[in-house]
Amino acid sequence: MATLTYRDALNQALREEMQRDPNVFLMGEEVGVYQGAYKVSRGLLEEFGPMRIVDTPIAELGFAGIGVGAAMAGLRPVIEFMTWNFAVLALDQIVNSAAKILYESGGQIPIPIVFRGPNGAALQLAAQHSQAWDSWLSHIPGLKVVAPATPADAKGLLKAAIRDNNPVIVLEGEMLYNLKGAVPEGEHIVPIGRADVKRPGRDVTFVCHSKTVAVALKAAEQLAEHEGVSAEVLDLRSLRPLDEEAIVGSVARTNRAVVIEEGWPHAGIGAQVVDVIQRGAFDQLDAPVLRVTQADVPMPYNKQLERLAKPSPDRVVAAARRVLYLD
Amino acid sequence: MATATAQTTDAPAQRELERRMLRQMLLIRHFEEKAAEAYALGKIGGFCHLYIGQEAVAVGALSALRDDDYVISSYREHGQALARGVPANAVMAELFGKATGCSKGKGGSMHLFDAGRRFMGGHGIVGGHIPLAAGLGFAIRYKGGDQVCICYFGEAAVNIGAFHETLNMASVYKLPVIFLCENNRYGMGTAFERVAAVTDVVEHACSYDMAAELVNGMDVLAVYEATRRAAERGRKGGRPTLLEVRTYRFMGHSMSDPLHGVYRTKEEVEEQRKRDPISQLAGKLKEEGVLDQAGLDALDAEVRAEAEEAVRFADRSPDPDPAELTTHVLAD
């Protein structure tokens, strides 16, 4: 197995799927000549040419809609948003067109499209460039949403997304692009809707996804080292559909849970996970489920304030101590 | 404005085309009258935007296209669906929300679809479908085809960002798309000149280096000819066209709105009714001896019966099975 960065794993997935299926094309800002704002599409213009690696003007609504229209005619577009912050301008096309056309046409017109790009905060980009849209996008029937945390999952989920006959949102992370990990070569597909135990444990379940998987793993290490606590880290990988069975299964064994996410607390992904837990593992719970989220504020620019706003291993450890009644 | 000088290389074929156009316009008129009745009876729910007055725009343009071209429209699309050949029964059943509707009762008046006829929907957000048209055009170009995509929208959509983003990209990417603006002068109750700095929609084409024509939308042959030229441009050179087709809606914005009142006068509506596109074409055909009054009456009776049958069909069709609630959310 080769060691690749998350960025190169995505690049490999795109290249392999474009080689496999001539209907797959990539469209977005800076994806071609500039080789990608985050270099995810490096080398693709040279290999596939400008008809399949399409540079766009800064017009998110327009090119997202062009993608949906192309999907209506049977192509399989991959629409790259430079970041999901800008994709808010394209929400009409994602929500009103991509997610609804199959249903409102009575099943006549599937929309096999991928919308992808980095989501959530990076470093000191301030409020408008540091937002996690996970819960917004997961709210919409007709969409699937995935948020890989590792290079292997990035490759496998992007390939699955491109082959899916529905609109699939792929939430990447600017802070993840340089992350290295082992990536299976060739045909490596991660099924959408399946969570993954990134670290097995007995005493408490950390439910997390995307960037917060690293946060949860670090917290689990600290707890093991200092408290002798065994935390299970469950990476959701898909936010819609949600792997309810995996969540309930893990919490039924550990009897305690902390849900961690990059988004804001109000109506966040964690709220949905807590609902799954209270319905599926009510009798097994030994403590209220706690959540660790971004602070309920627009992201500040100042470095210290930004650090305070983000989920951190320390905050996860503190939440774990509370659900374990260690305080 | 482009005037009606239909190509008469083949006179009988031209007469047949005009007769067919008249029939389609009459069908739309009667269909919409029946829809209004059914709406008043509570058989049609939600919003229902009628096409009465604008028939020449659907019929003229779609008569100039091929079966493998794409058609996409806004929420005032009953006329285009019928002109595209979607059976009146299936359209009326959709308005009634029935399982036999062209969208299985899940779309309704604003979301008529017939993928087999490449009728890619009615779409409900003003201007939201304009980028989709460019995407269909993109797919044509991607696959190396010589089809075109026609996109209907009202003049009010011209104030939406999606219009401008799309026209720019359609021109940059050389997409075979006909952007057909049906300028009926009012976005609901707001006169276009009250909210648009540039009131000749056709002028926007200059900003995007795009071919454009201003067309008399009450003259079905003028619409036909302008669309034929635009389609040619799309097929041969992969170039988009903006058509501003000036028309007028004889009814309120939707069934819930008044015909006239605060935003336009009764006199204005009456004046416009004198330009009725159906009377104009019928008059021409009578004048040329293609149809006499008896022939016209027979045609009228034929399509009236078709519209009435559509209502009966919709009425006796079943509602969708309750299990349909959760189908088609996701594809397999």
Side-chain angles (χ1 to χ4, degrees), chain B residues 13 89 139 147 169 203 205 251 275 284 318:
Chain B
N89 284 2
Q147 302 90 343
M169 278 186 271
E203 301 240 322
M251 307 294 281
R275 302 172 64 223
K284 177 178 183 290

Side-chain angles (χ1 to χ4, degrees), chain A residues 127-184:
Chain A
Q128 293 181 346
H129 282 72
S130 310
Q131 304 174 89
W133 300 114
D134 319 25
S135 101
W136 279 40
L137 295 159
S138 299
H139 188 60
I140 314 296
L143 300 181
K144 294 184 180 182
V145 182
V146 301
T150 66
D153 286 345
K155 176 178 176 181
L157 282 169
L158 181 54
K159 284 171 80 85
I162 292 171
R163 295 185 194 185
D164 202 284
N165 289 324
N166 296 287
V168 182
I169 307 288
V170 181
L171 302 174
E172 302 164 6
E174 195 182 327
M175 303 301 287
L176 291 171
Y177 285 136
N178 284 332
L179 179 74
K180 284 186 180 160
V183 177

Side-chain angles (χ1 to χ4, degrees), chain A:
Chain A
M1 242 193 284
T3 298
L4 291 180
T5 61
Y6 188 101
R7 165 188 292 111
D8 289 340
L10 291 167
N11 179 277
Q12 196 174 79
L14 282 169
R15 175 175 280 115
E16 288 176 8
E17 292 308 298
M18 289 186 69
Q19 286 169 345
R20 186 181 155 271
D21 183 350
N23 284 333
V24 178
F25 71 94
L26 175 70
M27 179 177 244
E29 294 155 5
E30 311 287 5
V31 297
V33 172
Y34 193 77
Q35 307 282 302
Y38 296 101
K39 306 294 175 240
V40 169
S41 55
R42 187 161 44 203
L44 298 183
L45 176 65
E46 290 68 18
E47 183 170 348
F48 298 105
M51 194 71 231
R52 297 184 68 194
I53 303 294
V54 187
D55 278 322
T56 67
I58 300 174
E60 284 80 8
L61 175 68
F63 68 74
I66 288 179
V68 178
M72 291 173 86
L75 298 184
R76 305 185 84 86
V78 177
I79 300 298
E80 175 173 315
F81 293 119
M82 194 183 287
T83 87
W84 275 96
N85 295 291
F86 313 150
V88 174
L89 291 162
L91 271 189
D92 179 49
Q93 291 305 327
I94 297 171
V95 174
N96 277 317
S97 299
K100 291 182 182 143
I101 286 174
L102 179 70
Y103 193 84
E104 66 192 10
S105 69
Q108 293 180 71
I109 305 176
I111 309 293
I113 191 170
V114 172
F115 297 105
R116 48 158 291 269
N119 172 61
L123 284 176
Q124 283 199 277
L125 299 181
Q128 293 181 346
H129 282 72
S130 310
Q131 304 174 89
W133 300 114
D134 319 25
S135 101
W136 279 40
L137 295 159
S138 299
H139 188 60
I140 314 296
L143 300 181
K144 294 184 180 182
V145 182
V146 301
T150 66
D153 286 345
K155 176 178 176 181
L157 282 169
L158 181 54
K159 284 171 80 85
I162 292 171
R163 295 185 194 185
D164 202 284
N165 289 324
N166 296 287
V168 182
I169 307 288
V170 181
L171 302 174
E172 302 164 6
E174 195 182 327
M175 303 301 287
L176 291 171
Y177 285 136
N178 284 332
L179 179 74
K180 284 186 180 160
V183 177
E185 269 145 57
E187 193 72 359
H188 166 60
I189 309 281
V190 172
I192 295 173
R194 199 131 348 131
D196 184 44
V197 175
K198 288 290 193 282
R199 175 185 171 120
R202 295 180 309 275
D203 302 327
V204 58
T205 300
F206 293 161
V207 183
C208 50
H209 65 275
S210 187
K211 276 171 265 179
T212 61
V213 172
V215 174
L217 284 169
K218 200 165 277 180
E221 267 170 45
Q222 285 178 24
L223 283 164
E225 203 172 312
H226 305 302
E227 316 276 356
V229 165
S230 164
E232 175 146 302
V233 175
L234 181 68
D235 175 4
L236 291 171
R237 296 200 293 196
S238 294
L239 304 178
R240 188 184 185 104
L242 203 53
D243 190 345
E244 300 194 2
E245 207 180 310
I247 297 167
V248 169
S250 175
V251 177
R253 277 188 290 103
T254 64
N255 314 110
R256 298 163 206 274
V258 175
V259 190
I260 308 133
E261 69 185 300
E262 252 197 299
W264 290 301
H266 193 96
I269 292 291
Q272 187 66 29
V273 172
V274 170
D275 172 63
V276 170
I277 293 171
Q278 66 84 19
R279 275 187 287 116
F282 186 79
D283 291 331
Q284 284 87 15
L285 275 180
D286 285 344
V289 180
L290 292 185
R291 294 173 59 201
V292 174
T293 69
Q294 191 196 304
D296 204 10
V297 298
M299 186 64 86
Y301 166 71
N302 175 274
K303 205 172 186 170
Q304 313 311 325
L305 293 180
E306 184 187 55
R307 189 177 299 151
L308 283 175
K310 289 178 175 176
S312 65
D314 287 349
R315 287 172 60 200
V316 176
V317 167
R321 288 180 58 84
R322 281 179 60 200
V323 302
L324 288 155
Y325 299 114
L326 294 176
D327 287 335

